[in-house]
Amino acid sequence: MARSLSRPPKTVDLHAEAFLADLDNYELNELLAESLDYLREQLDAAIYWSYPEIKFIHGKGRGILRNAVYEELQHYKSSGAISHYHPSYQNEDIVIVVIGL
C-alpha cells in the first residue's frame, strides 16, 4: 500500500504566517482555525508515519493559540491517538507530543 500523507517535519510552526501566504484575507478567529487545522493535518501525518513524537511551536503572545492547541491535544489524548504531551523543557513556546508509549 502506498503512503498517501506527506511526511511532516519533526517541528511544526503553527503561526499562520509560517504556512499561509495571504494573511490579510483572514480575520483573527479564522487564523486560529487555520492553525488548528494545520495542527491536525501535521499530527495526523505524524501518527500515520509512526513518529515517536512531534513538536509544535505555538509561541507566547496572549496564549490564545497555546490554549487552543492544548485543548485540541487533549481530544487526541482522550481518543488514544497520542500518548501524552508536555511543554518543551528548553522552550515553553513549544509543545512536545509523544505519539507512541
Side-chain angles (χ1 to χ4, degrees), residues 60-72:
K60 285 186 173 111
R62 291 183 280 167
I64 295 168
L65 180 56
R66 179 191 66 232
N67 293 341
V69 164
Y70 275 70
E71 186 176 313
E72 187 65 27

Side-chain angles (χ1 to χ4, degrees), residues 51-54 81-86 96-101:
Y51 280 23
E53 71 177 31
I54 188 169
I82 63 172
S83 173
H84 62 280
Y85 55 92
H86 58 85
I96 299 172
V97 179
V98 179
I99 297 168
L101 294 176

Side-chain angles (χ1 to χ4, degrees), residues 27-92:
E27 298 292 328
L28 288 176
N29 61 333
E30 293 172 322
L31 289 173
L32 179 60
E34 290 290 335
S35 291
L36 291 176
D37 284 345
Y38 190 58
L39 164 85
R40 290 182 203 105
E41 289 171 14
Q42 299 303 304
L43 182 52
D44 290 347
I47 292 167
Y48 180 83
W49 283 95
S50 301
Y51 280 23
E53 71 177 31
I54 188 169
K55 298 175 184 173
F56 292 99
I57 302 170
H58 54 66
K60 285 186 173 111
R62 291 183 280 167
I64 295 168
L65 180 56
R66 179 191 66 232
N67 293 341
V69 164
Y70 275 70
E71 186 176 313
E72 187 65 27
L73 292 175
Q74 183 56 45
H75 292 295
Y76 273 84
K77 184 176 182 223
S78 296
S79 72
I82 63 172
S83 173
H84 62 280
Y85 55 92
H86 58 85
S88 169
Y89 300 118
Q90 289 83 26
N91 185 344
E92 63 185 28

